[in-house]
Amino acid sequence: MLPGSGRFRAQGVGQLLDAAFTLYRRNLGMILAITAVVQVPLAVFTFLVYQFTGIASTSDRIQQLSARGVLTPQQISDLGSSLITLFAVAFVLVLVQFLVVQPIATAAMTRAVGDVYLDRAATVGGAYRAVASRIGAVVGVSALLFLTGIGIFAVFFGLLFVSAFALGQSGLALLILIVPAVIVAFILVYTRWLFAAPIVILEQKGAVDALRRSWSLVRGSTLRVFGITLLVGLITGILGGIIVGILSVVTQFGDVTLRLILNQFAALVVAVLIQPISFIVVVLLYYDLRIRREAFDIEMLAAGL
């Protein structure tokens, strides 16, 4: 199935990836614009925060000290307040990225890819207008996913502490069971809820209903969905690594401010160029599952009559 061809049928992994890259190539300008709308302001915001809080100088100082070997306790003590500020700022930026920027970019890309897939006019403005009308559910889904991830890791470290310290030697056997169980739980939750964000936009469901719908849609296809997303993650990771590797050559020159600008630019290029590939695959995989489980092709043909 080629995106926008009007033919709806289930696809193999190779066909799915080919369709994703075809859609990416044919709609490159719109896709880059959708991502840049949120990623550029984030890059500027990050630069300003790093400058005004002095984090850029602290990071540079840590890199210089680390280049000489492992940081000593005295060096860590001297950097105490700066390190606290560094971690606090980094945490805030992570929250902004995962609870605001990423959800909005994903939702806008979902709408645009959905429009292309269904042979409808797709525009940057149309995509973001659709997101604006569903912003509460979009952010709500991301918040629930974020809190669930925090909860899983909290349980993991809690059990890790109990098995390692409270139970002593007998805890080692428990530890061997805990690590695989937590990994499986994380993979299961991640995979089953993968389509919650697209469902908010494409099916107009609320945050909780979207999570339930995604869980039901993926049931029976968990390993396939996880395998495809893992493969796409490896592909985008390699592509992103190549870009960062090339740009890292120039990020070593200049003063602290110039290096910060170049590093932000490198991160921005990866976010704008590479991240959309994952978004596109998720949307096409969503439609692929609906075709397989719900005869979506028949539904669409009937709707066009």
Side-chain angles (χ1 to χ4, degrees):
M1 190 279 299
L2 291 177
S5 66
R7 299 194 301 274
F8 303 92
R9 57 185 175 83
Q11 305 172 85
V13 177
Q15 292 172 311
L16 187 72
L17 294 178
D18 179 65
F21 280 101
T22 298
L23 191 150
Y24 178 88
R25 185 180 67 254
R26 290 180 178 176
N27 303 274
L28 183 60
M30 179 186 67
I31 288 170
L32 298 187
I34 287 175
T35 312
V37 165
V38 289
Q39 291 294 345
V40 170
L42 177 64
V44 174
F45 175 72
T46 301
F47 171 77
L48 294 176
V49 168
Y50 270 52
Q51 284 293 90
F52 288 129
T53 59
I55 296 302
S57 299
T58 300
S59 299
D60 189 64
R61 176 63 175 160
I62 292 174
Q63 290 178 359
Q64 291 177 358
L65 293 174
S66 300
R68 303 171 188 170
V70 180
L71 294 179
T72 66
Q74 183 59 48
Q75 289 172 331
I76 295 176
S77 177
D78 294 339
L79 291 169
S81 60
S82 297
L83 288 174
I84 293 174
T85 303
L86 174 62
F87 288 126
V89 169
F91 181 72
V92 170
L93 291 175
V94 167
L95 288 181
V96 172
Q97 172 72 23
F98 284 97
L99 297 182
V100 181
V101 174
Q102 198 77 358
I104 292 176
T106 302
M109 191 66 64
T110 294
R111 177 55 188 264
V113 173
D115 285 341
V116 171
Y117 185 91
L118 299 177
D119 282 332
R120 295 194 299 235
T123 63
V124 176
Y128 276 104
R129 281 192 295 272
V131 173
S133 67
R134 304 287 301 156
I135 191 65
V138 168
V139 176
V141 163
S142 296
L144 289 174
L145 292 174
F146 183 80
L147 292 174
T148 300
I150 294 294
I152 291 175
F153 280 106
V155 170
F156 170 70
F157 285 111
L159 294 174
L160 187 66
F161 176 82
V162 171
S163 62
F165 296 99
L167 300 180
Q169 292 294 328
S170 61
L172 293 177
L174 179 60
L175 184 61
I176 294 175
L177 297 175
I178 288 174
V179 174
V182 171
I183 293 174
V184 170
F186 183 82
I187 290 174
L188 177 64
V189 172
Y190 167 81
T191 306
R192 288 291 188 91
W193 283 352
L194 180 65
F195 303 106
I199 286 170
V200 165
I201 295 296
L202 299 176
E203 298 187 27
Q204 300 289 297
K205 291 186 179 295
V208 175
D209 287 341
L211 292 173
R212 291 173 181 162
R213 164 70 169 150
S214 179
W215 188 279
S216 175
L217 185 63
V218 179
R219 184 181 292 116
S221 303
T222 304
L223 291 180
R224 178 174 179 269
V225 172
F226 175 72
I228 291 174
T229 55
L230 179 62
L231 175 61
V232 173
L234 291 174
I235 293 173
T236 55
I238 292 172
L239 293 175
I242 292 173
I243 293 176
V244 170
I246 294 173
L247 294 178
S248 65
V249 175
V250 297
T251 59
Q252 305 303 315
F253 301 98
D255 58 12
V256 174
T257 301
L258 179 58
R259 287 201 298 274
L260 176 60
I261 293 174
L262 293 175
N263 282 320
Q264 288 300 312
F265 177 73
L268 179 62
V269 169
V270 172
V272 172
L273 282 178
I274 306 301
Q275 282 188 1
I277 296 173
S278 298
F279 301 157
I280 293 170
V281 170
V282 168
V283 177
L284 296 186
L285 188 52
Y286 158 81
Y287 281 118
D288 181 75
L289 281 179
R290 290 201 62 186
I291 291 169
R292 293 172 183 272
R293 298 178 60 88
E294 303 172 351
F296 184 69
D297 52 342
I298 297 175
E299 175 186 324
M300 289 303 302
L301 288 173
L305 296 178

